[in-house]
Amino acid sequence: MSRDIVYRQILDHLTTATLVLDMDLTILYINAAAEYLLEASGSRIVGTRLGDLFIGSAEAFETLNDASRTGQPFTKREAEFTLMSGSRFTVDYSVSQIGADTETLLLELQPRDRLLRITREEDMLSQQETTRILVRGMAHEIKNPLGGIRGAAQLLDRELADESQKEYTRVIIDEADRLRGLVDRMLGPNKAPQFSSTNIHEVLERVRTLLEAESKGRVKLERDYDPSLPEFPGDKEQLIQAFLNVARNAMEAAADHTNDETPCITFRTRALRQFTIGHRRYRLVCRVDIIDNGPGIPQDLLQNVFYPMISGRANGTGLGLSITQSIIGQHQGLVECESSPGWTDFIIFLPLELKA
């Protein structure tokens, strides 16, 4: 067996995505891990230049060119590249010359997207739990004096003989009830989910039917479902409420768009295998995307959109998304949001098997 074949077999057994390049950054060899990362077969891309395979920053390619000129190894952390297909990935990469007498470079890519996503999700879940504890404590401190105010107003109402004066006590009672209702909504669902076998597409179709009736045909509603998704343990009514909160926001955003496009919402489902949510790994997870072509969410609001009382609309309460995150959290899932001008995607991850 020749030495080249042995070297190739060694590279193919590595879990690190590895490319062998010449000094002009033309690809000479790519191992199996790199084929998976770059979404391309070696037979198709060997002989092409690295810049024809994916788009990186000018700084990244300058670093690679420097390594080819000087032979000095270099490592870069959390560099972002974009494939010609449009897929983006973040990697740590290192480049080094293979031996002093050769004119070949070894480029090693360590994917960071999954680790960064897990870290971000764990931070998000931790922040949401902190927020829930804060809201519960605040609700307790608000509801106690509210009950006293309402009770005192009721007693005063019984003592007053003048109907015109009773109007003031009734305003106090009504406002106390309104504030109590607001606090209850901040706390989210007041009952534990009743799990039973649930079909995600039945939930989404109920939501879509409600939106059709509310929009009266002004908003285009598209489906892109994966019919292979199995049923899972869920509370159907609570899930309908969770998805309806997101979809109504999307409908209002799409209706507010200022370009010539027809307001549109897309409901998409996909299956993800061996997927991690927070610190738990699930064999099968359902991903639901609710996408609208509205104006997008400002970046300064995007990080806080799931917190109670945070809203981008003048007439919004800021509770809908917080309640959605609470319901999905009770199903061991997670809600994320990505947005840019003219496009917003709320991504809901729901495990198809619950863990104790």
Side-chain angles (χ1 to χ4, degrees):
M1 185 179 296
S2 71
R3 184 178 297 177
D4 284 349
I5 293 175
V6 172
Y7 289 162
R8 291 189 179 199
Q9 287 183 344
I10 291 172
L11 289 175
D12 281 337
H13 280 80
L14 295 177
T15 57
T16 303
T18 307
L19 295 86
V20 180
L21 314 170
D22 66 14
M23 292 304 183
D24 294 325
L25 302 185
T26 298
I27 300 169
L28 303 178
Y29 184 72
I30 176 174
N31 72 348
E35 288 181 338
Y36 178 78
L37 176 65
L38 302 177
E39 302 175 5
S41 65
S43 60
R44 187 170 70 84
I45 63 176
V46 166
T48 63
R49 285 179 57 81
L50 197 64
D52 296 330
L53 180 61
F54 53 73
I55 304 165
S57 66
E59 178 189 359
F61 281 104
E62 186 59 32
T63 298
L64 293 171
N65 287 323
D66 286 345
S68 69
R69 285 194 299 269
T70 65
Q72 294 296 318
F74 186 84
T75 299
K76 176 72 174 176
R77 303 295 181 193
E78 296 186 13
E80 185 174 281
F81 292 95
T82 305
L83 296 177
M84 292 305 177
S85 64
S87 300
R88 295 182 181 180
F89 60 92
T90 304
V91 296
D92 293 342
Y93 74 84
S94 61
V95 58
S96 56
Q97 190 171 354
I98 304 177
D101 301 328
T102 65
E103 294 189 347
T104 52
L105 298 173
L106 192 70
L107 176 62
E108 299 172 86
L109 306 171
Q110 287 281 4
R112 295 280 294 171
D113 293 276
R114 185 167 176 270
L115 181 60
L116 291 171
R117 183 185 62 78
I118 291 171
T119 302
R120 185 178 67 248
E121 287 178 359
E122 286 182 338
D123 288 344
M124 185 185 298
L125 290 169
S126 176
Q127 290 171 3
Q128 288 165 3
E129 181 59 28
T130 302
T131 302
R132 278 194 288 269
I133 293 170
L134 177 63
V135 168
R136 286 193 203 106
M138 184 176 67
H140 177 74
E141 294 300 322
I142 290 174
K143 289 169 80 171
N144 279 349
L146 269 182
I149 292 169
R150 192 185 192 281
Q154 286 178 313
L155 291 173
L156 183 59
D157 186 75
R158 293 172 191 162
E159 295 294 326
L160 293 173
D162 189 338
E163 283 297 322
S164 63
Q165 292 179 329
K166 286 188 175 185
E167 288 182 14
Y168 299 111
T169 56
R170 287 164 189 165
V171 167
I172 295 172
I173 293 169
D174 290 343
E175 288 302 295
D177 289 341
R178 186 180 66 83
L179 286 174
R180 186 181 182 90
L182 178 63
V183 171
D184 286 339
R185 292 201 304 278
M186 286 177 64
L187 292 171
N190 57 8
K191 63 176 183 177
Q194 304 298 309
F195 292 107
S196 61
S197 185
T198 303
N199 185 304
I200 190 63
H201 298 129
E202 287 183 8
V203 172
L204 294 177
E205 282 300 289
R206 174 80 71 83
V207 171
R208 200 181 66 83
T209 300
L210 291 170
L211 289 193
E212 275 186 336
E214 292 177 15
S215 67
K216 299 178 181 177
R218 293 191 300 270
V219 178
K220 184 179 179 183
L221 303 172
E222 295 186 342
R223 307 180 186 95
D224 181 9
Y225 294 160
D226 178 353
S228 68
L229 283 168
E231 294 190 345
F232 65 99
D235 186 315
K236 184 176 179 181
E237 295 307 316
Q238 286 196 14
L239 287 172
I240 289 171
Q241 184 61 57
F243 284 104
L244 189 59
N245 290 343
V246 175
R248 276 189 176 135
N249 284 350
M251 181 177 69
E252 292 177 6
D256 288 342
H257 77 312
T258 56
N259 54 32
D260 294 331
E261 289 184 76
T262 302
C264 179
I265 300 173
T266 301
F267 297 89
R268 178 186 299 155
T269 60
R270 292 292 184 270
L272 304 175
R273 301 184 186 282
Q274 300 301 328
F275 192 79
T276 302
I277 299 175
H279 62 278
R280 290 180 173 178
R281 187 178 182 86
Y282 296 91
R283 186 176 58 85
L284 192 63
V285 168
C286 169
R287 169 175 171 155
V288 181
D289 293 77
I290 299 179
I291 306 166
D292 70 73
N293 62 348
I297 300 172
Q299 289 301 309
D300 59 344
L301 182 61
L302 191 59
Q303 300 302 318
N304 303 315
V305 74
F306 294 107
Y307 291 132
M309 313 307 291
I310 301 293
S311 176
R313 303 194 312 274
N315 61 344
T317 64
L319 295 176
L321 293 178
S322 174
I323 291 170
T324 292
Q325 190 71 278
S326 176
I327 292 172
I328 298 301
Q330 288 179 319
H331 288 74
Q332 299 183 9
L334 186 71
V335 187
E336 293 183 349
C337 181
E338 298 175 359
S339 186
S340 58
W343 173 84
T344 298
D345 183 6
F346 277 89
I347 308 161
I348 298 95
F349 299 104
L350 281 170
L352 298 181
E353 52 177 354
L354 299 182
K355 293 187 177 181

